[in-house]
Amino acid sequence: MRGWLLLLLGVAFADAAEPLRLPEVLASAQGRYPPLLIALIEQDIASGRLRQTEGAFDLGFALRAGVVPRGYYDGSTGDVSLEQRMPFWGANLFAGYRRSSGSLADYDKDRTQRDGEFRAGLRFNLLRDGFIDRPRAELLKARLDLGLVDPFVERQRLDITRAATRAYYAWAVAGFRVQVAREQLRVAEERAAGLTEQARKGMLAPIVVTDNERLIVSRQLMVTQSRRRWEAAALELSLFLRGPDDQPIVPPNDRLPAELPTTEAPAGLGDPLVLELAVERRPELRRIRLVRDKVEVDRKLADNATLPNLDLTVGITRSQGDGPYPDIRREETRAGLEMRIPLQRNEALGRRQAAEAELRRLDQDLLFVRDRIRVEVKDGWSALLAAREQLVLARRNVELSDTLVAAEQTRFRQGAGDLLALQLREQAVLEARFAELTSFADFFLALADYRAATAEDLR
């Protein structure tokens, strides 16, 4: 940065506080900023919901008992079974053991031989609920929801980095503005003693002293206003700068850096390859693709609902012991086929129509987001180039204003100029230096926007 800022800020003392740098602010924001921590908690929530949907595939256990205490038959039955939903073809694997005692009717399906009966089998859905069913669809969508957390967190990181960067440079530039305002106040105050002495000797009209006092008051007002802006910027920055206890830290004034960093344009500015890489790197596109995958699951589930049910069941039973029922064989194998055809499928067809429309909407959204990202990156290029050009002109304006005020001060000391002309020159210097600081701020804010647009911090 220019030498006049070094002159204004002075050389730091050995025991001065370490200057606050942007990486320290960003590290604090990425590790302790509550909105980002909230975003990270979303991953735990999504993991919990995924585990919840996995519950549909939990191993099931059932226990059933029955007794006929009075009547023609006086038997009792007991049945224990396990059932496991499988992740393919809507299959259900089941196994169990049952045993009856006493006397049961021949038509009673629960009767067994003396030592009971083991059974096992498998049920398949050959058409409807074969390729996909609601439990598997919910599981797929829960996994996609877990994947959706990543682009959400990445978007939060980009926004937080951008906001923290803007807050940091707003604070730094506001601090430099205070230094500039105080320097101009010091010039007017140092001139006051000389003017008072000249007026006492009759070399100047007393009104000149009064005019300089008015100038001092106006510059004191400017210092107060600049200090208030700096305090507000420090409070805003404290949201991102946090201590070990996660409490905001208002940066003290002595942590203001001696100068702003160099204003170098990022590599690849204007490169079409950088543009396309930025498009693919942005988390918005991955979010839309994952949402589209979720809708695709809904569409497949709706297609599934239009199919008829064709369910195949295969099972085997093995009886233990002999008697008392001679019609029960030692081993039996059973197979069954059941078919149900929905005659009207309005609910399923309506869901499929809605899902297909949602897919078309997301396709259009994907195209528009691509276009919007390209526009944001190109606008970042334009903003950075304009900021660099503005900064060059602002620096030249400061140089010219410094030259003019130095010449006017010489003329005033020699008695060839007047205080009004000197005040105008000093005001021009003040405005030029403020404009240069504004140009610095514009450049770094444009740089923060550009890095967010290109998702540079996600590389």
Side-chain angles (χ1 to χ4, degrees), residues 139-397:
L139 181 60
L140 288 173
K141 290 166 66 176
R143 288 172 178 166
L144 291 170
D145 283 334
L146 183 59
L148 277 167
V149 175
D150 288 337
F152 172 69
V153 171
E154 289 175 357
R155 183 67 260 176
Q156 290 292 310
R157 289 188 186 278
L158 289 176
D159 292 340
I160 290 168
T161 298
R162 176 176 175 270
T165 302
R166 294 175 69 92
Y168 172 78
Y169 285 116
W171 169 77
V173 169
F176 294 145
R177 286 177 64 95
V178 171
Q179 298 288 346
V180 171
R182 285 175 176 170
E183 171 64 16
Q184 292 299 307
L185 174 60
R186 183 189 62 79
V187 170
E189 289 175 338
E190 290 179 352
R191 187 168 52 224
L195 293 178
T196 301
E197 180 63 21
Q198 290 179 357
R200 187 182 65 80
K201 295 178 179 180
M203 299 172 62
L204 285 178
I207 194 64
V208 176
V209 177
T210 303
D211 191 20
N212 192 69
E213 291 178 354
R214 178 202 59 80
L215 182 62
I216 290 174
V217 172
S218 66
R219 291 183 180 178
Q220 287 174 338
L221 177 61
M222 185 175 299
V223 168
T224 301
Q225 293 172 341
S226 300
R227 189 181 67 247
R228 169 66 189 106
R229 293 176 182 175
W230 194 17
E231 292 171 354
L235 290 171
E236 181 68 22
L237 182 58
S238 70
L239 293 175
F240 304 96
L241 186 64
R242 294 175 177 267
D245 58 353
D246 293 334
Q247 294 301 310
I249 298 176
V250 179
N253 296 346
D254 59 358
R255 296 206 67 187
L256 183 70
E259 59 182 359
L260 290 171
T262 57
T263 55
E264 296 180 359
L269 189 65
D271 187 348
L273 179 60
V274 173
L275 176 63
E276 294 308 315
L277 288 176
V279 170
E280 293 305 317
R281 202 158 47 223
R282 285 279 289 268
E284 293 92 326
L285 291 182
R286 284 187 289 119
R287 184 193 66 81
I288 294 175
R289 292 190 185 107
L290 289 170
V291 172
R292 194 184 187 285
D293 289 343
K294 285 185 62 178
V295 178
E296 184 67 29
V297 172
D298 288 333
R299 186 190 66 79
K300 291 179 180 178
L301 190 61
D303 286 339
N304 169 75
T306 64
L307 299 175
N309 290 89
L310 184 60
D311 304 332
L312 173 65
T313 303
V314 179
I316 184 171
T317 61
R318 181 177 179 83
S319 296
Q320 305 295 313
D322 298 324
Y325 305 108
D327 60 320
I328 296 180
R329 295 179 178 273
R330 173 74 65 177
E331 291 185 358
E332 291 185 358
T333 302
R334 297 187 181 91
L337 192 65
E338 180 182 3
M339 186 173 188
R340 299 189 303 275
I341 301 176
L343 298 179
Q344 291 181 311
R345 302 170 296 169
N346 289 324
E347 191 271 341
L349 293 174
R351 283 196 289 124
R352 182 171 67 182
Q353 180 180 351
E356 290 174 345
E358 181 68 12
L359 288 173
R360 293 196 302 272
R361 186 190 70 81
L362 289 170
D363 288 338
Q364 291 298 318
D365 194 18
L366 194 64
L367 292 174
F368 177 73
V369 169
R370 286 180 178 274
D371 293 339
R372 187 182 65 191
I373 292 174
R374 291 190 179 99
V375 168
E376 289 179 1
V377 175
K378 291 178 180 179
D379 184 62
W381 295 347
S382 174
L384 279 171
L385 293 174
R388 284 291 299 276
E389 181 179 354
Q390 177 181 326
L391 186 55
V392 170
L393 295 174
R395 285 171 173 170
R396 180 57 178 163
N397 189 27

